[in-house]
Amino acid sequence: MNGFPALEVEKRRTVPRWLQFIAPIISLVLALVAIGIIFQALGIDPLFAYEEIFNGAFGSSYGFSETVVKSIPLMLTGIGLTLAFRARFWNIGAEGQLLIGATCATGLALAFPDWPRWLIMPLMFIIGFIGGALWGIIPALLKARWRVDEVITSLMLVYIASNLVNYLVYGPWKGPEEMGFPYTSKFSEAAQLPRLSWTRIHYPTLIIGIVIAVVIYLLLTRTKWGYEIRVTGENPSAARYAGMSYLKTLLLVMIISGGLAGLAGVGEVAGIHFRLRYPEGISPGYGFTAIIVAWLARLNPIGAVLTSLLLGGLLVGGDAIQISLGLPGATIFVFNGTILLFVLGGDLFARYRIRVKSKTEG
Amino acid sequence: MSEEVIPVVSMRGIEKRFPGVLANDRVDFEVRPGEIHALLGENGAGKTTLMNILYGIYQPDGGEILIRGESVVIHSPREAIELGIGMVHQHFRLVTSHSVAENIVLGLPGNLFFPEQAAREKIEEFSDRYNLTVDPEARIWQLSAGEQQRVEIIKALYRGAEILIMDEPTSMLTPGEVEDLFTVLRRMANEGNTIIFISHKLDEVMAVSDRVTVLRQGRVEATLETAQTEKRELARLMVGREVLFRIEKNEIKLGEEVLRIEGLHALNDKGLPAISGVSLRIARGEILGIAGVAGNGQRELVETIAGLRPATGGHIFVSGHEITSRSPREIIEKDVCFVPGERLTALVPEMSVTENLILKTYRDQRFIRGLFFNTREINSHADDLIERYAVTTPTRDTPLKLLSGGNIQRVMLARETSGKPALLIAAHPTSGLDVGAIEYIWQLLLKERERGTAVLLVSEDLEEALTLSDRIAVIFEGELMGIVPSVDTDLEEIGLMMAGAHRLPVPEAGE
């Protein structure tokens, strides 16, 4: 009966600082090893595949510019998610908030094609933020009032947003000159974001993202609102005891988290496509990938700037191996899923340790 | 005695290490057959660890164990039971919806059918022999804590225990039940059983034990004949220095009324009535103690006052303002401070000492400059409180969870009392703390009283309630059984009230 050595999982009293930094890196390496095994099983040399991915994402100036392009929505959305996750509010519906932001900005751009850039551009960002924020506070209200699980509601709202976009681009908003494609008409010049030289980098959005990372970092660590968010996340009963309003905190968190996802959506329609398209055309799951961005950054908003670049690179590199190795498009989702699994697992092992219980033969 | 008695239990040089702590440091512990041996020490002194080793729950890192003179290795509680060792844990391990007889035979090997007849006969035999009266047919949930403990003892005897370990057996009992338990233990010892009695209460150790071993910080300080020692000596051994038992309580002229509760009703977490028609008043400079067996509505009462639980009837006034069912924040702003019994509901263990110290006051203008926190002011506030309340912490930025229990409670009290409260609600302020920390907290509460704070003290420890309070309100099943002055009280009367068997007219009720 006592033949097996017993494993004991015990919580570490403290997680040493070096471990906090090294755990995500180890997790990432292990994830790459695991994915390498999949590559091997498919008959592809993993080292070659990784080289292709790296070269695709960072090996050329074109590749790198595309990495930055994809990191912009990941950064904005990921920063918002660090805030939500700090409050232990599991917003996994950023994808929907992003689509609503894109939709609102599109509506404004299509309605006022004559407005000058200095007027229309800021308004598009503002209305995109508001749209994303409104989509984001629905699960917050449901949670605070009736304790409805936010994982379910925020996820279901993604499908509603996605179908709304589909309805608009196939129906009332379909551009007559788009030759039957599910696109809206192209935005006026004034409603298109400027890009950096020959690249697709719509730099105003990038700058907004970096500034916001710093702002959110300061909010979280240096203000009473950030303090309320952290206390609520760490110990909701202590927050209540201290007279903090759960509803108010969740609303604040989700206005910002949803709003930033909305800004990401604005950036995509105003900086990349210049029109609203079918949902998968606007976002290849940025809202979901941003969850990995936030966790890999250990819920640090400034860290999310760096990790968004990494995940952006994976998206670009994933495209590259689809072409050069003839892999299916879903490969990148396997990639992302595996990384998230390992990052979450790594987080667990940083906080707990496994010991072999000393047990002499009985 | 000239001839050498073979000890029934002999633990030699026992060592047990946990991450960062040496829980048992070369402990030598011997128990003679037929004695009641108290194992005395502060919380964290290593008493329970040592007994968990004897009961096979932990493996020692060093040392050896001899049972009746033979060297043994005990891998599991099952093996401990085979050696005739039984343990009654502080928190009972019974299936509440099953009957007494079912609980007693539960988990015994060998029977396909329920050995009802055999079980009943045995239970009756133990009942007669040791005065362990309990109805075999009763369901556990119908029984009082004292009766449940008897079931646990019978369970151990049924499994053939001759060496019985009792871990803090009196913590859940009323004074009357404690007396009954002591009678049972003495009878068992007279019949040749051996009892190891874990406690940190000196009075109990003096009352029931034959010998006592004192542990401090994982080491044995001394093993003494109880008859040849006294409380003061044991306290000194336990704490490592002289302890004050006389608490200086100055006569204080009562000020105006601070808290008035009229006919309060509230529900528990299951939605059942927990507080029924409680009325009481506390004046400035007065400590009112709420005494009662755990789970009789104490928690619900204090939570309702603090705004964490809605009142379903009645009124609460603080300094003349009605606060019934107001938000916690509004109540905090009326200078009501609250030290809850479950400490972790009012602290954030992952956050720093500093951040825990501002949990109630972070909105204060002095801590905010523009949009941001005024870090310098917050830090100096923290340094000030750490110094004034003598909190032992490596730095103010250390996560709270790394502090000892006593220091965590100091952080809480520093936060709750430094703001000069009008009303201080302190629920179980010393539970789980060692004598040194308890003494400090008692002094602090008395200082608050002298400063003119109205203090509502909830305590399961009757001695504590009597020492500190000016008046004692006894609560039973959510109702006040009476309010009595704490001087010249009849302990027996309080005991009866705690058990719900006696009720005084409450002069303040209905008004």
Side-chain angles (χ1 to χ4, degrees):
Chain A
M1 199 174 135
N2 294 336
F4 298 102
L7 292 179
E8 245 181 4
V9 180
E10 61 179 30
K11 204 168 180 174
R12 293 174 200 266
R13 267 166 79 76
T14 43
V15 183
R17 215 148 230 286
W18 60 268
L19 191 60
Q20 285 181 31
F21 283 104
I22 212 147
I25 295 168
I26 295 173
S27 309
L28 206 57
V29 170
L30 289 177
L32 292 180
V33 171
I35 299 161
I37 293 168
I38 300 173
F39 278 133
Q40 195 73 58
L42 292 170
I44 296 162
D45 176 12
L47 288 178
F48 177 68
Y50 288 141
E51 200 183 326
E52 286 288 290
I53 290 173
F54 185 82
N55 283 335
F58 302 100
S60 65
S61 48
Y62 170 75
F64 184 66
S65 79
E66 278 302 293
T67 295
V68 174
V69 165
K70 298 209 186 288
S71 74
I72 294 172
L74 291 175
M75 183 188 306
L76 278 163
T77 313
I79 293 165
L81 289 181
T82 62
L83 202 62
F85 294 164
R86 280 289 183 100
R88 295 278 197 282
F89 188 83
W90 308 120
N91 174 24
I92 58 164
E95 182 78 1
Q97 294 140 25
L98 182 151
L99 288 174
I100 295 298
T103 306
C104 291
T106 301
L108 194 75
L110 295 179
F112 305 104
D114 313 328
W115 285 9
R117 172 174 282 177
W118 64 265
L119 181 63
I120 192 80
M121 254 358 292
L123 284 178
M124 282 168 71
F125 275 114
I126 290 168
I127 197 159
F129 184 93
I130 293 173
L134 288 176
W135 214 246
I137 65 174
I138 297 170
L141 286 171
L142 290 170
K143 168 99 172 193
R145 276 275 167 266
W146 294 290
R147 294 173 184 269
V148 185
D149 185 25
E150 74 274 21
V151 173
I152 311 282
T153 50
S154 66
L155 182 62
M156 288 198 301
L157 282 164
V158 174
Y159 298 107
I160 298 175
S162 170
N163 282 315
L164 176 71
V165 171
N166 263 326
Y167 164 73
L168 290 172
V169 296
Y170 280 99
W173 284 11
K174 189 169 175 177
E177 68 290 337
E178 298 290 329
M179 303 190 302
F181 283 108
Y183 298 164
T184 67
S185 301
K186 201 172 178 186
F187 294 175
S188 69
E189 286 277 333
Q192 298 181 13
L193 283 166
R195 292 169 168 182
L196 197 65
S197 179
W198 51 267
T199 69
R200 299 203 296 164
I201 300 173
H202 40 112
Y203 59 86
T205 327
L206 179 63
I207 294 167
I208 291 174
I210 292 169
V211 170
I212 282 177
V214 177
V215 170
I216 297 296
Y217 177 79
L218 290 176
L219 171 89
L220 206 48
T221 54
R222 306 288 287 279
T223 70
K224 68 171 182 180
W225 302 286
Y227 179 73
E228 287 176 346
I229 290 168
R230 286 182 292 127
V231 173
T232 302
E234 290 290 351
N235 188 351
S237 63
R240 203 164 94 83
Y241 161 87
M244 298 174 186
S245 157
Y246 188 58
L247 176 68
K248 223 181 81 184
T249 306
L250 283 197
L251 285 183
L252 173 72
V253 158
M254 282 312 292
I255 285 170
I256 296 174
S257 184
L260 293 183
L263 289 187
V266 179
E268 292 310 289
V269 291
I272 303 292
H273 308 294
F274 306 136
R275 53 169 70 81
L276 190 65
R277 308 164 73 197
Y278 58 94
E280 297 77 14
I282 295 295
S283 162
Y286 287 136
F288 297 115
T289 308
I291 297 171
I292 310 173
V293 168
W295 274 113
L296 209 51
R298 304 203 61 90
L299 305 186
N300 180 325
I302 292 177
V305 174
L306 298 176
T307 54
S308 67
L309 212 57
L310 185 72
L311 268 295
L314 267 180
L315 287 179
V316 173
D319 283 345
I321 56 165
Q322 267 177 53
I323 299 160
S324 66
L325 301 176
L327 287 168
T331 312
I332 202 64
F333 296 119
V334 175
F335 232 108
N336 281 344
T338 312
I339 292 172
L340 181 61
L341 199 67
F342 275 82
V343 169
L344 292 178
D347 207 46
L348 185 80
F349 286 123
R351 283 184 293 119
Y352 292 82
R353 72 170 126 219
I354 294 183
R355 301 196 334 158
V356 181
K357 202 172 174 180
S358 55
K359 206 167 198 180
T360 36
E361 280 311 310
Chain B
M1 258 177 271
S2 57
E3 62 196 295
E4 191 67 17
V5 185
I6 298 176
V8 63
V9 173
S10 174
M11 301 176 84
R12 293 182 187 164
I14 298 291
E15 273 190 27
K16 180 67 187 175
R17 208 174 284 278
F18 291 112
V21 211
L22 190 54
N24 285 159
D25 185 3
R26 285 160 293 159
V27 170
D28 294 318
F29 179 61
E30 275 192 4
V31 186
R32 293 177 193 151
E35 73 170 343
I36 301 181
H37 195 120
L39 193 52
L40 177 70
E42 298 182 297
N43 283 287
K47 302 170 298 215
T48 303
T49 303
L50 187 68
M51 287 303 106
N52 280 340
I53 289 171
L54 182 58
Y55 195 54
I57 295 173
Y58 295 145
Q59 299 306 309
D61 297 327
E64 70 169 335
I65 303 173
L66 287 85
I67 301 294
R68 297 177 197 90
E70 280 180 44
S71 177
V72 292
V73 179
I74 305 169
H75 297 103
S76 66
R78 189 175 287 272
E79 292 180 31
I81 290 164
E82 280 164 17
L83 289 165
I85 302 169
M87 185 158 180
V88 175
H89 296 271
Q90 193 171 358
H91 302 286
F92 306 138
R93 295 166 186 203
L94 299 168
V95 185
T96 51
S97 56
H98 283 197
S99 74
V100 169
E102 283 167 336
N103 266 281
I104 285 168
V105 297
L106 191 70
L108 283 179
N111 283 307
L112 182 57
F113 298 102
F114 183 68
E116 202 174 342
Q117 196 52 40
R120 194 168 313 164
E121 278 170 19
K122 274 278 185 148
I123 293 168
E124 272 160 23
E125 185 200 324
F126 291 135
S127 289
D128 294 346
R129 216 155 101 198
Y130 304 123
N131 207 18
L132 281 163
T133 336
V134 57
D135 172 13
E137 302 303 319
R139 308 265 151 188
I140 299 299
W141 59 266
Q142 298 168 318
L143 304 180
S144 71
E147 289 171 311
Q148 292 189 25
Q149 190 174 55
R150 278 178 233 155
V151 177
E152 284 279 21
I153 295 173
I154 295 173
K155 222 168 93 181
L157 294 174
Y158 197 92
R159 283 157 179 73
E162 293 163 6
I163 304 161
L164 191 64
I165 307 165
M166 305 281 300
D167 189 1
E168 304 269 354
T170 60
S171 58
M172 314 284 278
L173 307 182
T174 61
E177 286 177 324
V178 170
E179 262 317 307
D180 291 345
L181 171 69
F182 287 176
T183 311
V184 168
L185 294 183
R186 282 190 204 102
R187 271 208 205 186
M188 287 174 60
N190 287 341
E191 296 263 336
N193 293 292
T194 306
I195 290 150
I196 304 173
F197 182 93
I198 306 180
S199 181
H200 63 257
K201 295 180 185 162
L202 298 170
D203 290 323
E204 291 173 358
V205 170
M206 294 303 295
V208 77
S209 68
D210 300 312
R211 290 200 305 157
V212 50
T213 294
V214 185
L215 278 183
R216 185 161 71 86
Q217 292 173 353
R219 294 208 193 113
V220 172
E221 286 294 308
T223 297
L224 306 161
E225 300 281 335
T226 310
Q228 285 160 25
T229 182
E230 47 150 12
K231 245 172 90 174
R232 182 168 291 271
E233 185 187 12
L234 289 178
R236 189 176 49 75
L237 288 168
M238 186 161 90
V239 185
R241 60 181 172 78
E242 289 292 331
V243 181
L244 288 171
F245 271 103
R246 275 293 131 71
I247 286 285
E248 289 292 321
K249 208 161 101 184
N250 301 330
E251 202 57 44
I252 282 181
K253 247 185 72 187
L254 291 186
E256 68 268 31
E257 179 183 281
V258 176
L259 176 72
R260 184 164 92 239
I261 298 178
E262 292 173 359
L264 190 68
H265 290 259
L267 305 177
N268 65 15
D269 292 340
K270 290 177 185 161
L272 302 169
I275 293 292
S276 317
V278 166
S279 298
L280 54 87
R281 295 156 172 226
I282 310 179
R284 273 175 62 89
E286 183 186 29
I287 299 182
L288 178 78
I290 302 272
V293 178
N296 272 289
Q298 295 96 320
R299 201 183 100 205
E300 288 82 0
L301 174 64
V302 293
E303 285 182 358
T304 309
I305 302 171
L308 297 168
R309 185 178 291 276
T312 50
H315 303 276
I316 308 167
F317 301 88
V318 169
S319 314
H321 304 279
E322 171 140 29
I323 57 154
T324 323
S325 298
R326 292 290 166 80
S327 75
R329 187 169 169 182
E330 285 170 281
I331 294 170
I332 291 167
E333 283 162 4
K334 292 276 176 295
D335 294 324
V336 175
C337 285
F338 178 31
V339 178
E342 293 85 24
R343 271 162 222 158
L344 291 186
T345 62
L347 294 164
V348 192
E350 305 290 326
M351 288 168 75
S352 70
V353 171
T354 304
E355 287 184 302
N356 274 283
L357 282 170
I358 59 166
L359 189 64
K360 284 291 206 36
T361 46
Y362 70 96
R363 302 181 192 88
D364 269 18
Q365 268 317 305
R366 65 180 169 134
F367 293 144
I368 289 172
R369 200 171 43 197
L371 288 171
F372 296 109
F373 270 143
N374 184 345
T375 316
R376 185 181 298 175
E377 187 62 35
I378 288 173
N379 285 342
S380 75
H381 173 71
D383 288 341
D384 176 44
L385 291 186
I386 288 169
E387 199 193 310
R388 263 167 57 203
Y389 289 84
V391 180
T392 309
T393 172
T395 70
R396 60 169 179 252
D397 298 319
T398 305
L400 185 79
K401 64 174 179 184
L402 296 184
L403 272 51
S404 70
N407 279 299
I408 287 176
Q409 188 69 332
R410 277 176 196 232
V411 169
M412 168 108 76
L413 285 158
R415 186 182 74 203
E416 296 304 309
T417 61
S418 60
K420 306 208 183 314
L423 171 67
L424 174 65
I425 306 166
H428 315 300
T430 60
S431 78
L433 301 185
D434 56 52
V435 173
I438 290 173
E439 191 190 353
Y440 176 82
I441 286 162
W442 284 7
Q443 297 291 359
L444 194 70
L445 291 174
L446 290 174
K447 233 172 20 194
E448 280 303 309
R449 169 178 176 268
E450 263 172 62
R451 207 182 56 69
T453 309
V455 181
L456 178 68
L457 171 73
V458 176
S459 185
E460 276 162 38
D461 180 352
L462 196 53
E463 193 189 323
E464 173 174 273
L466 286 169
T467 309
L468 297 176
S469 310
D470 298 291
R471 288 183 300 149
I472 302 268
V474 182
I475 194 166
F476 174 73
E477 292 188 345
E479 290 180 53
L480 284 195
M481 304 306 288
I483 301 180
V484 293
S486 64
V487 280
D488 308 323
T489 35
D490 183 354
L491 258 183
E492 201 173 321
E493 184 181 30
I494 292 185
L496 286 173
M497 292 200 293
M498 281 169 74
H502 179 60
R503 177 174 218 142
L504 291 176
V506 183
E508 282 162 275
E511 204 189 47

